Amino acid sequence: MAETMADRKKAILRAVTDDYISTAEPVGSRTIARKYGLGVSSATIRNEMADLEDEGYLEQPHVSAGRIPSDKGYRFYVDALMPERALTGLEEKKIRAECVKRSDEIQSLIRATARVLGELSNCASIVIGPGVKTAEIRHIQLVPLSADSVLVLVVTNAGLVEHRVLAIDHEMDPRDLENMSRMLNHRLRGSSLAQMRGRVLGEILADLNAYASFLEEMFDLLLSATRSSDQNRVYVDGLMRLLGQPEFNELERARPILEFLESDDLVLTELAGTASRGPGGAYATIGSENQRQELRECSVVCAPYGVGGQVVGTIAVVGPTRIDYSLAMSLVGYMAESLSDLLTRTQSAK
Amino acid sequence: MAETMADRKKAILRAVTDDYISTAEPVGSRTIARKYGLGVSSATIRNEMADLEDEGYLEQPHVSAGRIPSDKGYRFYVDALMPERALTGLEEKKIRAECVKRSDEIQSLIRATARVLGELSNCASIVIGPGVKTAEIRHIQLVPLSADSVLVLVVTNAGLVEHRVLAIDHEMDPRDLENMSRMLNHRLRGSSLAQMRGRVLGEILADLNAYASFLEEMFDLLLSATRSSDQNRVYVDGLMRLLGQPEFNELERARPILEFLESDDLVLTELAGTASRGPGGAYATIGSENQRQELRECSVVCAPYGVGGQVVGTIAVVGPTRIDYSLAMSLVGYMAESLSDLLTRTQSAK
DNA sequence: TTTAGCACTCGGCACAGCAGAGTGCTAACG
DNA sequence: CGTTAGCACTCTGCTGTGCCGAGTGCTAAA
């Protein structure tokens, strides 16, 4: 139905949205007539705007103020009106410079991604790092640390290195550990920690039953590790930038959003859903489209990234519904792609 | 000179400070007379307060408002007047519950510490995790990952595990790696990465000159790692709680502080100095005592923690100058001690 | 169908007036 | 001489009024 909108109406909706995105002020018919040469007078635009309001694309904060886009208006803008924006050379350069240089270590990479994304979008940014629970195991190894402790090392296909120290009762021969490492590697490579327990534990125990209790303990440790490390996957940056936005000048409006963003758990579960949309492309969730009450006055632009086609994390930008969708979607899309590239490349290089 | 203050004056200063800490409202002579039974009339208290103002311990926001403590007043309060406060059983329990349960992994432990500290103090909290640069190396090991990559693993005396993946040109015999690990361990255990370069590199190269180029590369990687991982040491929590404080109701007052706290680098360098004060005890830096302009309206209560007497990190609480010093200092002191205990125990257990 | 004109609405701001809290000062008191 | 009561004074914060400007909707003309 929206597609049947007359061209002039679309032009006006686009103008209103563009203007409001950049000024944060309700925009009146006169402004449109002056700044965006549509060749018609303000009165005509007024009439069209009244129609657009009836149809739910625009709304009026007060009767004598200009119009601002409604969530429905933004949705239409994003789907049909928004200018395709390519990143500038400067932006791409900045992204490359910051991200590639940090790619030696995945934590730094993720952190840098969040930082750069926040900076360029001038909004708050979220990056969910790769998790260890469902990731494919690329390497698993036991490293003897001392007489009574062993370091359990797991490297996933996303390049994430997870480790735990396991205390042991009685000294173990390094040779045995070596053997066990080989065995574990052989059995577990390619599967995930999540499925490890059920599927392979039995077989391994059968093969190595001399060390059954040790292995049991080790698996337990790893499983509890996956649980606790999930909270460490969330990186948020640029919270303060939200406060700079005019719509959040009154603290009380910003408070719930900021509190939400400060809680890693909530952010994680909220963005977990996006993984299911599969990699490639950026998605916008506009205002009331958000499930969570706290985000009803925000828009979230996010894109999953992954390794070799499998989604391992998500990056996102959070701003007022007036967020610059064009910029945000380009940025998020590009950075998700970069991340995927980087991770996939490091992984295949091995 | 301050010590010569008459007892009644002290009592009044204490009363004003206590009251202002809990209410955030300038406190008048009448309030003091009513709420804190000093046995004198409000007029007398008025006179004393005028004196305290002349001496610089109190100040008046406006002529017809009550008094609030000046930075000098807070300093005197902290040094001489503040009630010693023991943590309640509930508080201790909460700390233990959250921290001990996370002690299997140092990142989680640090994060949980920041979280609990922020929650209990009702302020923003900072925890600087152990660094790898100056830490003593407890274990160093090369783990063959695949034909063309080796994982370099460093475990420090604080239990921190740092790792980097090193790409190699031509395949290396696992046996050689094993030998090198043993050798590196032997040579480097007990020294730090920072001093590694200068002191031991030469010797090691002489012993293992067949692998000189490999080792050179490895050292370079590790050194650059220490640089980039420094930024990952900073954990800040409860930024939003600052916004809840009445003094930060106007955003513009809070903005610079929040921006400072969001910048890991600045926080790190600012708190780095505290390490030199040595472990044990909490220190308050009040308002204008802070070097950084941004913190001139804040107080920072911090305490270093360490492993076996050597300082490896710092924990801190940031709030308005009106912060509850008594609570903050107890909390920070106790948690620094707990952390030190935990880290020292895990280290000596190995 | 578009445009010009006009009356109307409403938010924001400046300004005045008022109430309340708290002070400093003076004078009386033990 | 220290302490207290009383009083005049000051200043903030709140409330209510009036005005300006921006922008609309409607009507009538082009």
Side-chain angles (χ1 to χ4, degrees):
Chain A
M1 34 111 215
E3 291 305 335
T4 68
M5 194 187 288
D7 281 351
R8 194 177 60 190
K9 242 182 200 163
K10 286 189 194 170
I12 290 174
L13 180 52
R14 177 192 286 125
V16 171
T17 311
D18 281 340
D19 204 75
Y20 187 64
I21 282 178
S22 60
T23 66
E25 300 277 321
V27 25
S29 52
R30 200 149 160 189
T31 314
I32 300 288
R34 262 192 325 227
K35 279 182 34 184
Y36 305 81
L38 299 185
V40 289
S41 78
S42 68
T44 308
I45 292 173
R46 254 196 316 275
N47 290 329
E48 297 278 43
M49 281 166 90
D51 287 357
L52 283 167
E53 185 174 355
D54 286 344
E55 296 161 35
Y57 294 103
L58 294 180
E59 47 196 38
Q60 252 179 322
H62 347 278
V63 58
S64 84
R67 304 298 209 297
I68 64 178
S70 66
D71 290 350
K72 185 179 172 188
Y74 284 124
R75 168 53 61 201
F76 188 73
Y77 175 83
V78 167
D79 290 341
L81 302 177
M82 186 174 72
E84 279 289 335
R85 187 192 147 158
L87 296 183
T88 67
L90 206 73
E91 287 163 339
E92 289 205 4
K93 209 166 122 194
K94 191 153 197 173
I95 294 172
R96 294 228 165 269
E98 272 304 313
C99 291
V100 173
K101 144 176 119 189
R102 301 304 186 106
S103 62
D104 59 326
E105 213 273 309
I106 202 159
Q107 304 270 23
S108 296
L109 175 61
I110 297 296
R111 206 150 173 156
T113 303
R115 179 137 306 198
V116 173
L117 182 56
E119 197 180 317
L120 291 180
S121 68
N122 200 33
C123 285
S125 62
I126 304 173
V127 178
I128 310 282
V132 74
K133 190 160 19 191
T134 60
E136 231 174 71
I137 295 174
R138 198 163 83 206
H139 193 89
I140 182 168
Q141 176 128 10
L142 306 174
V143 179
L145 269 191
S146 68
D148 54 2
S149 66
V150 171
L151 185 75
V152 184
L153 199 70
V154 176
V155 185
T156 75
N157 63 338
L160 189 72
V161 179
E162 189 74 39
H163 53 78
R164 285 303 131 118
V165 174
L166 181 56
I168 52 180
D169 299 336
H170 35 267
E171 191 153 3
M172 299 180 79
D173 191 332
R175 226 171 299 267
D176 287 344
L177 288 175
E178 188 56 37
N179 281 334
M180 260 192 281
S181 291
R182 230 190 312 274
M183 175 56 135
L184 287 170
N185 243 312
H186 177 67
R187 291 281 189 182
L188 295 176
R189 182 170 303 181
S191 57
S192 76
L193 279 181
Q195 63 192 183
M196 175 182 83
R197 171 119 237 167
R199 221 187 49 180
V200 265
L201 185 57
E203 305 174 30
I204 295 177
L205 283 181
D207 277 4
L208 292 167
N209 70 355
Y211 290 110
S213 76
F214 170 82
L215 284 171
E216 285 270 19
E217 220 175 311
M218 189 196 82
F219 284 130
D220 282 348
L221 189 70
L222 284 181
L223 285 175
S224 74
T226 63
R227 239 168 288 132
S228 76
S229 76
D230 251 11
Q231 281 164 30
N232 293 356
R233 294 172 58 193
V234 181
Y235 295 82
V236 175
D237 189 87
L239 280 186
M240 291 317 116
R241 268 184 281 263
L242 282 185
L243 292 177
Q245 307 288 357
E247 29 272 280
F248 298 129
N249 256 350
E250 316 130 64
L251 256 187
E252 293 321 306
R253 216 162 273 288
R255 187 72 130 300
I257 299 155
L258 295 173
E259 260 157 18
F260 170 82
L261 289 174
E262 251 204 349
S263 158
D264 302 335
D265 300 349
L266 294 180
V267 170
L268 189 62
T269 53
E270 180 68 11
L271 284 189
T274 61
S276 61
R277 287 194 269 206
Y283 305 87
T285 312
I286 298 167
S288 54
E289 295 171 9
N290 282 293
Q291 291 301 311
R292 291 203 68 90
Q293 195 63 39
E294 300 93 314
L295 297 179
R296 289 286 165 84
E297 308 201 8
C298 294
S299 284
V300 181
V301 174
C302 67
Y305 65 91
V307 175
Q310 190 201 352
V311 172
V312 300
T314 304
I315 80 179
V317 161
V318 179
T321 50
R322 183 185 57 78
I323 192 175
D324 185 339
Y325 291 97
S326 187
L327 171 63
M329 293 182 84
S330 306
L331 275 175
V332 167
Y334 180 76
M335 291 189 78
E337 215 175 308
S338 297
L339 257 188
S340 297
D341 279 2
L342 263 174
L343 294 180
T344 307
R345 210 173 318 136
T346 14
Q347 115 119 337
S348 64
K350 274 144 209 176
Chain B
M1 37 116 213
E3 290 304 337
T4 67
M5 195 186 287
D7 281 351
R8 194 175 61 192
K9 243 182 198 164
K10 287 189 193 170
I12 290 174
L13 180 53
R14 177 193 286 127
V16 170
T17 310
D18 282 340
D19 203 73
Y20 187 64
I21 282 178
S22 60
T23 66
E25 301 276 320
V27 25
S29 53
R30 201 151 158 186
T31 314
I32 300 288
R34 261 192 327 229
K35 280 182 32 185
Y36 305 80
L38 299 186
V40 289
S41 77
S42 68
T44 309
I45 292 174
R46 258 200 308 280
N47 289 331
E48 298 279 43
M49 282 166 91
D51 287 356
L52 283 167
E53 187 175 353
D54 288 343
E55 296 161 35
Y57 293 103
L58 295 180
E59 47 196 38
Q60 251 179 322
H62 345 280
V63 58
S64 85
R67 303 301 209 296
I68 64 177
S70 66
D71 290 350
K72 184 177 171 189
Y74 284 123
R75 169 52 62 201
F76 188 73
Y77 175 83
V78 168
D79 290 342
L81 302 177
M82 186 174 73
E84 279 288 335
R85 189 194 145 155
L87 296 182
T88 68
L90 208 73
E91 286 163 340
E92 290 204 4
K93 209 166 124 194
K94 192 154 197 173
I95 294 172
R96 295 228 163 267
E98 274 304 314
C99 292
V100 172
K101 142 178 122 191
R102 301 303 185 107
S103 62
D104 58 328
E105 213 273 310
I106 202 161
Q107 305 269 23
S108 297
L109 174 61
I110 297 296
R111 207 149 174 155
T113 302
R115 178 137 308 197
V116 173
L117 182 56
E119 197 179 315
L120 290 180
S121 68
N122 199 35
C123 285
S125 61
I126 303 172
V127 178
I128 310 282
V132 75
K133 191 161 18 194
T134 59
E136 230 174 71
I137 295 174
R138 199 164 80 205
H139 193 89
I140 182 166
Q141 176 127 11
L142 306 174
V143 179
L145 268 192
S146 68
D148 54 2
S149 64
V150 171
L151 185 75
V152 184
L153 198 71
V154 177
V155 184
T156 73
N157 63 339
L160 188 72
V161 178
E162 189 74 39
H163 54 76
R164 286 302 133 121
V165 175
L166 180 57
I168 52 180
D169 300 335
H170 35 267
E171 190 153 4
M172 297 179 82
D173 189 333
R175 226 171 297 270
D176 286 346
L177 287 175
E178 187 56 35
N179 281 335
M180 259 193 281
S181 292
R182 227 190 311 276
M183 174 56 132
L184 287 169
N185 243 313
H186 178 66
R187 290 280 189 182
L188 295 176
R189 181 169 305 180
S191 58
S192 76
L193 280 181
Q195 63 192 181
M196 175 183 81
R197 172 118 237 166
R199 220 187 50 180
V200 263
L201 185 56
E203 306 173 28
I204 296 177
L205 284 181
D207 277 4
L208 292 168
N209 69 356
Y211 289 111
S213 76
F214 170 82
L215 285 171
E216 286 268 19
E217 219 175 311
M218 189 196 82
F219 284 129
D220 282 349
L221 188 71
L222 284 181
L223 284 175
S224 74
T226 61
R227 240 169 287 131
S228 76
S229 75
D230 250 13
Q231 280 164 29
N232 292 357
R233 295 172 58 193
V234 181
Y235 296 80
V236 175
D237 190 87
L239 280 186
M240 292 318 115
R241 267 184 282 262
L242 281 186
L243 293 177
Q245 307 288 358
E247 30 272 279
F248 299 129
N249 257 351
E250 316 130 63
L251 256 188
E252 294 322 306
R253 217 162 271 289
R255 187 71 128 301
I257 299 155
L258 295 173
E259 261 157 17
F260 170 81
L261 289 174
E262 251 203 349
S263 159
D264 301 336
D265 300 348
L266 294 180
V267 170
L268 189 62
T269 53
E270 179 67 11
L271 284 190
T274 61
S276 60
R277 288 195 269 205
Y283 304 89
T285 313
I286 298 166
S288 52
E289 294 171 10
N290 282 292
Q291 291 300 312
R292 290 204 69 91
Q293 194 64 39
E294 300 94 313
L295 296 179
R296 289 286 165 85
E297 307 202 6
C298 293
S299 285
V300 181
V301 174
C302 68
Y305 65 91
V307 176
Q310 190 201 351
V311 173
V312 300
T314 303
I315 80 179
V317 161
V318 179
T321 50
R322 185 185 56 79
I323 192 175
D324 184 339
Y325 292 96
S326 186
L327 172 63
M329 294 183 84
S330 306
L331 274 174
V332 167
Y334 181 76
M335 291 189 78
E337 213 175 309
S338 297
L339 259 187
S340 296
D341 278 3
L342 263 173
L343 294 179
T344 306
R345 210 173 318 135
T346 17
Q347 113 120 338
S348 65
K350 273 146 207 169

